[in-house]
Amino acid sequence: MKTFGYLIAFFLFTSCLWAQTDTLFVYETRTPLLVDRSDNELLYLRIHSKEKGDTFNQLKLQIGEEIRLSDIKAIKLYYAGTDAPERKKNSSFVAASYIPTREADLSYSVVKEKTKPKSHDLILTANQKLFPGTNYFWISVEMKPTASLLSLLKIQLSEATVNDRLVVLQKTFSDVEHRMGVGVRYPGDDGSVAYRIPGLVTTKKGTLLGVYDVRYKHSGDLQADVNIGLSRSTDKGQTWEKMRIIMDQGEYGGLPEAQNGIGDPSILVDEETGTIWTVAAWTHGMGTGRAWTNSLQGMAPEETAQLMLTKSVDDGKSWSPLINITAQVKDPSWHFLLQGPGRGITMSDGTLVFPIQFIDKDRIPNAGIMYSKDKGKNWKLHNAARSNTTEAQVCEVEPGVLMLNMRDNRGGSRAVSITRDLGQTWEEHPSSRKALREPVCMASLIKVDAADNVLGKKILLFSNPDATNGRYNMTIKASLDGGLTWPYQLLLDAEESWGYSCLSMVDKETVGILYESSQTHMVFQRIRLTDLIK
């Protein structure tokens, strides 16, 4: 999960430094600090010992004034042991990687000191005998669960001593702002191996609703034992209620649950009525192979994936039986029709819109939209926006004008198209395949009207892994010119992850993001617009 960060370009350092006990290499993380987690990695340390009997004595840290010390429960120093001699030229900062959970795995690390900071200057004592060769340490912070998600932590390692002498510090980064987050879903929660594919909305009552795949047996896609789960927060994402399962086909038709999976949710709030809709794809009768290739032409569940809806009229507390709308929108020649995961929108005239994707008769994927003019009773679908595209998100940039931002299998950048007639015709947007880079991944796009944000500006917000060669650097971007340029950016998580995300305004001052993080499967963070757009 952290291979990018820990294999970062330390080949820049000369080979002679590897043999020096008087040089401490420091890697500062750029990942969210989860307030519900007892260990959050801040600094990784590596030092090479040539002589038996070398002792790592202590470290001096400065904690920035941005954070209230009362919000910090503990700062911890761990010794993570050594590495194989043949890897002495490796630039890794850990002896072993493992899936992050709520606590450090103490089979990999030894606690050397744990303290509650009483001032912004802090000394951590190790007095650790070094193993001949490469030695690893790391510094962790445990926040209080009540620490505001809007708070920031800065930390500086100012000096370290080995054999009671100061050592040289070689740092990767400085002045990193560590932002808070919440681990909404961890691997193993409620007996599920993995959680994937986030969708996020804010209801008319201000409640945050997060939906996602509950992938019980493995992290892979349909077909599998997968249900749609929902997490609900009434305090702007600080805490989340117990997970609800809102879409589950059980053992339909006598087939096992692993052959009745339902996944890749997209969620929508009807801004006029307050009704909340979730759409997902149900796969049945195709064994346990990958639905993307095993879903066939036709209309029946035994032939092809089914498009299923559920709705809530009580702010997400309870949900209706599933509604099958496949016959309303699918062309029988298509092999697969499903939603664009994430979220849908309510247009200014009350039309409900979900992004969709389908595999056509020639097995080429296409992205588009479906819409309802009668509050979700009937749905229609016209034409694709662009071929060889899949997971898309939609927003209304002007009254009646929809922008579709698409995952493009050509790679490198996002495709963007505009429709003025609900998808009957499309035109390429000037920013298409130019403005937003991507590693071929899902992304999120929302529009915020000037009246709905503290800056009083019409804003487009976008999130994805900001890279082309891998899913890392989860970033929120902002555009003030209708998506032509994206000059405002904020990095949330630099390390590798599955990379899916979904945005929703929490209030006029802050935007929320639910995403697949390097730190756990579902992370929520809340960001001030003024931190993003300066």
Side-chain angles (χ1 to χ4, degrees), residues 101-250:
T101 56
R102 286 185 173 86
E103 300 175 344
D105 189 334
L106 294 184
S107 64
Y108 290 98
S109 299
V110 178
V111 180
K112 300 307 299 183
E113 184 165 3
K114 175 181 176 180
T115 185
K116 170 73 173 74
K118 296 181 173 57
S119 76
H120 288 269
D121 296 310
L122 182 65
I123 294 177
L124 294 177
T125 301
N127 286 333
Q128 174 67 46
K129 294 291 185 182
L130 297 179
F131 193 89
T134 302
N135 291 259
Y136 300 104
F137 295 82
W138 58 285
I139 295 170
S140 163
V141 62
E142 180 179 3
M143 305 300 298
K144 290 184 178 178
T146 54
S148 170
L149 297 186
L150 299 179
S151 55
L152 300 173
L153 173 64
K154 287 187 175 183
I155 193 163
Q156 290 289 336
L157 172 57
S158 59
E159 64 178 56
T161 56
V162 174
N163 299 332
D164 296 317
R165 296 192 300 270
L166 291 176
V167 295
V168 176
L169 304 179
Q170 289 279 5
K171 301 180 182 180
T172 52
F173 307 108
S174 60
D175 296 323
V176 176
E177 292 181 339
H178 298 273
R179 296 179 177 272
M180 303 300 122
V182 175
V184 178
R185 293 277 88 188
Y186 288 82
D189 285 354
D190 294 294
S192 181
V193 169
Y195 295 89
R196 286 219 55 198
I197 324 295
L200 181 69
V201 292
T202 307
T203 72
K204 289 177 67 64
K205 294 183 178 180
T207 301
L208 288 169
L209 300 178
V211 292
Y212 39 79
D213 278 8
V214 184
R215 300 189 173 185
Y216 289 102
K217 302 304 179 183
H218 55 75
S219 62
D221 296 338
L222 294 171
Q223 177 68 289
D225 186 3
V226 180
N227 293 332
I228 303 302
L230 177 138
S231 292
R232 187 172 180 270
S233 174
T234 57
D235 57 6
K236 299 186 177 184
Q238 191 74 36
T239 61
W240 295 78
E241 297 174 1
K242 180 178 174 58
M243 179 182 73
R244 295 165 165 85
I245 296 296
I246 65 170
M247 302 182 83
D248 178 5
Q249 284 293 71

Side-chain angles (χ1 to χ4, degrees), residues 35-49:
V35 299
D36 59 327
R37 189 178 179 201
S38 62
D39 283 286
N40 292 280
E41 300 96 331
L42 284 173
L43 300 172
Y44 282 92
L45 315 173
R46 185 185 67 233
I47 192 164
H48 190 85
S49 174

